[in-house]
Amino acid sequence: MRRLKALRAAFAVGIFLLTSMTAALAQVALDLRDADLRRFVEIVSQTTGRNFILDPQVNGSVTVLAPKKVSSDAVYEIFLNVLELNRLTIVKGVGADRIVPIGVARELAPGQKVTLASGGYETRVIPVQNVPLAEVTEVIRPLLPQEAVLSTVPGAGLIILSDRRENQQRIASLVAQLDKPRGQPIETIRMRNANAGELLQVIQSLEVTPVGASLSADRRVNALIVSGPRQFRERIRGIVTQLDVPQRAMATRVVELSYANAAVLADVVQQTFEAQNADKATGIATIVAESRSNTLLITAPQDQIQSIIMSIRALDRRPSQVLIEAVIFEMSVENFADLSVQFGAVLNDAVAGGVQFSLQGRPTLTSVISSTLAGNTANPGNGGTIGGLKRNGTNGIGGFLSAVASKNSTRLLSTPSIMTLNNQKAEIVVAKNVPFVTGSFATVGEAALPDKPFQTIERKDVGLTLEVTPQITAEGTVLMAIKQEVSNLTNSSSAAGGEITSKRTINTNVLVRNGNVIMLGGLLENGSGSVSQKVPGLGDLPLLGALFRGKNASKNQRVLLVLLRPRVIRTDAEARRITREVARETRRASLALQPIDNGQYPKTPAGGFPFDGADLNQPFDAGFVDDVAQTRDFPPLPSRLQFK
């Protein structure tokens, strides 16, 4: 294929040479297909009579299709276009022109006394007088080829461009169209507080005035005269707005707070007004909190002091309170039943054989007979028991029948109530502080008794704990973060030692409308189990099989229910009304629980709640001390408190 292309190229060159030699009117017919570029340069040189020096990097192929004959000048123009497509250019010389890559052309100097023609590579200086140099270069840079070199002299307003002459003419024409004098608008900026002459010196020291713009001061009218581009004028207006401010007089005020915390409120207000004055060099407000008297000391510009005080008054409002009423109901029932028969024979004061079962809460036959033979009273356990022992010397027979049914029930009803401020955590604990042994140590010396024994004890609250943080929303609902725990002792011990406690915990966040009731937890537990033991075969006999088997069964039930109701209290009237309601309910409950006085000595003291909700401003000890017991010495009681 390469040979075929070479032959075609040689054939095309031969045809072109033959045609050019026989042309009568200096017309040339071009029909080149994949011809060698160096051969094409040779053809152009012979046609135009020009001398060319080729750079070693000049290579490639060319295809020129010209259906009609062209003149020698047209051949040269076609030649320049071919060079441009191959990223080549001509550097003019005195005796010969150099054909080099465009990237190399900027490093070569043209020959002296040469008038540059089209297609040459040159470096030109283009002056810019009326528009900013950066704007012009921003426009022309995308229009240049990759090999072109563009540099600027900002101080002199000059553009230095190295490129082909055709591009030079195109760029120079474009710069001439852009670099036309434009009338700069003039703007007057009057000062209200600052001095125009002093402000002019400040702005000039910033060196922000571009070429072609001007800035001056008119002291008669105290104004700045600005002439220049729109961006420059807008920038000057922004600087004047920041600096043309009045000299602020500072003022100091003391504000007493009624409800808010001074330290917390001082930080909030300080941060707010610091953000507002972030762009101002002077007049920063200072707020200091005095915790002992809960007051704020404010130092701020005179025009801001009143807005700061109004913000503090708006934040220092009476907080709302929330009364959380809880009902905790827990009931457990444990049923247990047992029936068993145990008997056996005694030979030589020892049990020789029989039927024996090991059931919960019931002794075994061996333990009962051993205790009887030792002369001790046997303990057959709870419930009904019938049995006996027949002895004949060291031999005999004994047995017993036991049956029991038990039921343990526990009912716990707690109604704790707690009141707290909005967004403030509150906690109520109604519990016993129970000690639990966590470890023990004793150093054993030579004596049998331990030396310096001690135990480590940890105390824990066992009972009711309610922790709540309410938040009143704008819609009248209450968002509560609740942590509730109910624990109690089970009166049983673990295998590792120590008493076992039972605990139920609720940790949640709820949203409840004011005055509504919500159920946080409801638990219903059912449990049952049984243990059955028998003698294989004999225990399955009808009727008589009951003598050879034992069984106990248990069934447990537990119910836990937690209800909560938040009540928002915003005014003193609502607080008094709710207090009277609670006092009346408490008095009715205390009278229902009060023991009956049968009139016998000693007299049963009154145990009812002393306040009925009508008058809550009486002394707190009124009615608590029995009048008769106060005058006697069984035992002596302290006197009442006296209020004058």
Side-chain angles (χ1 to χ4, degrees):
M1 291 300 292
R2 292 182 179 178
R3 288 185 177 180
L4 182 59
K5 289 184 178 180
L7 291 174
R8 287 180 179 177
F11 182 71
V13 172
I15 293 176
F16 178 77
L17 290 175
L18 181 61
T19 305
S20 61
M21 293 173 61
T22 58
L25 300 175
Q27 296 288 322
V28 180
L30 295 179
D31 187 9
L32 305 178
R33 300 178 184 274
D34 293 331
D36 183 67
L37 181 59
R38 289 177 173 267
R39 295 295 183 184
F40 182 61
V41 174
E42 182 179 352
I43 295 172
V44 175
S45 176
Q46 294 177 0
T47 304
T48 60
R50 296 174 181 268
N51 300 325
F52 297 109
I53 301 175
L54 302 183
D55 188 271
Q57 302 181 33
V58 175
N59 52 38
S61 61
V62 59
T63 299
V64 179
L65 302 178
K68 297 181 180 181
K69 295 181 179 181
V70 295
S71 64
S72 59
D73 293 336
V75 171
Y76 188 73
E77 290 296 330
I78 294 174
F79 174 62
L80 294 179
N81 293 330
V82 170
L83 294 181
E84 184 175 1
L85 292 176
N86 286 272
R87 315 306 295 172
L88 302 173
T89 188
I90 295 178
V91 179
K92 299 296 183 177
V94 177
D97 299 336
R98 287 164 288 181
I99 300 177
V100 297
I102 295 179
V104 179
R106 62 171 177 251
E107 303 173 0
L108 304 177
Q112 298 179 357
K113 300 180 181 180
V114 175
T115 303
L116 297 177
S118 60
Y121 191 91
E122 64 180 34
T123 299
R124 180 180 296 187
V125 177
I126 304 175
V128 179
Q129 299 178 354
N130 301 298
V131 295
L133 196 61
E135 295 182 3
V136 176
T137 56
E138 184 178 357
V139 173
I140 66 177
R141 191 179 296 275
L143 305 178
L144 297 175
Q146 183 178 1
E147 295 81 3
V149 179
L150 175 67
S151 59
T152 60
V153 183
L158 300 176
I159 295 177
I160 301 176
L161 178 61
S162 297
D163 197 1
R164 295 171 56 87
R165 188 171 186 183
E166 288 78 2
N167 286 340
Q168 292 278 12
Q169 295 174 352
R170 180 170 59 90
I171 297 301
S173 175
L174 178 60
V175 172
Q177 295 180 16
L178 297 175
D179 188 25
K180 293 182 179 180
R182 292 177 293 178
Q184 298 286 3
I186 300 176
E187 184 175 347
T188 301
I189 304 176
R190 294 183 178 274
M191 304 294 106
R192 296 184 178 181
N193 303 285
N195 182 275
E198 297 177 355
L199 193 58
L200 176 63
Q201 296 178 2
V202 174
I203 298 177
Q204 288 178 345
S205 64
L206 299 177
E207 298 181 356
V208 296
T209 305
V211 178
S214 64
L215 179 65
S216 61
D218 188 347
R219 291 177 172 82
R220 295 175 304 166
V221 294
N222 194 30
L224 290 178
I225 310 300
V226 185
S227 175
R230 179 179 57 84
Q231 295 180 352
F232 171 67
R233 290 182 280 110
E234 291 179 352
R235 187 173 185 182
I236 296 300
R237 282 199 301 269
I239 295 175
V240 171
T241 302
Q242 296 179 11
L243 299 180
D244 188 23
V245 294
Q247 297 292 330
R248 295 187 172 186
M250 304 299 288
T252 301
R253 297 288 187 275
V254 177
V255 180
E256 296 183 357
L257 302 180
S258 300
Y259 306 103
N261 182 275
V264 177
L265 190 57
D267 292 339
V268 175
V269 179
Q270 182 77 48
Q271 294 176 9
T272 302
F273 282 88
E274 282 182 356
Q276 293 181 1
N277 298 330
D279 58 340
K280 299 177 182 178
T282 59
I284 303 301
T286 303
I287 304 173
V288 180
E290 204 287 311
S291 302
R292 185 177 61 85
S293 59
N294 199 37
T295 58
L296 295 177
L297 180 62
I298 306 170
T299 302
Q302 185 69 40
D303 57 344
Q304 289 189 356
I305 192 71
Q306 192 59 34
S307 61
I308 295 176
I309 295 177
M310 293 177 60
S311 300
I312 293 174
R313 296 301 183 195
L315 296 175
D316 185 31
R317 295 183 299 177
R318 176 191 177 99
S320 299
Q321 303 180 90
V322 181
L323 174 65
I324 296 102
E325 300 171 315
V327 175
I328 304 172
F329 176 76
E330 182 178 9
M331 184 177 68
S332 62
V333 179
E334 298 179 358
N335 297 316
F336 178 80
D338 171 76
L339 176 63
S340 63
V341 176
Q342 303 183 51
F343 59 89
V346 179
L347 297 177
N348 296 326
D349 291 337
V351 178
V355 178
Q356 175 177 286
F357 303 110
S358 178
L359 300 174
Q360 179 184 0
R362 186 66 59 197
T364 62
L365 176 65
T366 303
S367 62
V368 173
I369 293 179
S370 298
S371 177
T372 303
L373 294 178
N376 300 324
T377 303
N379 183 13
N382 300 327
T385 305
I386 182 172
L389 176 64
K390 178 64 176 177
R391 296 185 59 183
N392 183 10
T394 58
N395 303 325
I397 185 173
F400 67 92
L401 169 68
S402 61
V404 65
S406 64
K407 180 178 181 181
N408 297 330
S409 62
T410 303
R411 182 176 180 271
L412 174 64
L413 178 63
S414 301
T415 58
S417 299
I418 189 171
M419 180 181 289
T420 181
L421 295 177
N422 186 26
N423 286 318
Q424 297 293 325
K425 183 176 70 174
E427 182 181 16
I428 182 172
V429 178
V430 182
K432 295 180 180 179
N433 194 253
V434 181
F436 293 91
V437 178
T438 58
S440 62
F441 180 79
T443 302
V444 180
E446 297 180 356
L449 297 177
D451 184 23
K452 297 180 180 179
F454 69 90
Q455 291 180 330
T456 56
I457 296 176
E458 180 183 3
R459 290 185 171 271
K460 295 183 178 180
D461 292 335
V462 178
L464 172 66
T465 302
L466 175 62
E467 181 181 304
V468 60
T469 303
Q471 178 182 348
I472 305 173
T473 66
E475 300 176 353
T477 57
V478 181
L479 177 63
M480 294 185 293
I482 301 170
K483 182 178 180 181
Q484 182 143 7
E485 177 181 312
V486 179
S487 58
N488 62 281
L489 301 174
T490 60
N491 297 324
S492 59
S493 300
S494 65
E499 188 166 0
I500 299 175
T501 59
S502 175
K503 182 173 73 172
R504 280 78 64 200
T505 302
I506 296 176
N507 192 349
T508 184
N509 297 298
V510 295
L511 186 64
V512 190
R513 174 110 13 215
N514 178 27
N516 290 3
V517 178
I518 188 171
M519 183 177 69
L520 293 184
L523 174 64
L524 176 61
E525 233 180 90
N526 280 317
S528 60
S530 64
V531 177
S532 178
Q533 298 179 356
K534 65 180 180 178
V535 178
L538 298 178
D540 298 329
L541 296 175
L543 299 178
L544 293 178
L547 299 176
F548 299 95
R549 62 176 179 262
K551 181 180 180 182
N552 62 21
S554 62
K555 184 176 182 181
N556 305 323
Q557 282 188 335
R558 183 186 299 274
V559 178
L560 175 63
L561 186 65
V562 179
L563 302 175
L564 283 179
R565 179 177 66 179
R567 302 174 68 178
V568 179
I569 302 174
R570 302 184 184 274
T571 62
D572 292 335
E574 292 181 359
R576 288 193 297 268
R577 177 178 58 81
I578 293 177
T579 303
R580 291 191 178 97
E581 293 178 2
V582 174
R584 285 193 292 268
E585 293 175 0
T586 305
R587 183 173 178 82
R588 285 195 296 268
S590 63
L591 292 177
L593 297 175
Q594 180 179 357
I596 300 176
D597 186 9
N598 55 8
Q600 297 180 358
Y601 182 82
K603 183 179 179 181
T604 302
F609 188 70
F611 305 109
D612 59 357
D615 184 11
L616 301 178
N617 296 319
Q618 52 186 306
F620 276 80
D621 70 327
F624 280 99
V625 182
D626 182 69
D627 295 334
V628 177
Q630 181 68 43
T631 60
R632 301 180 182 273
D633 297 332
F634 306 109
L637 298 176
S639 60
R640 291 184 177 181
L641 297 176
Q642 301 295 328
F643 295 89
K644 295 183 180 180

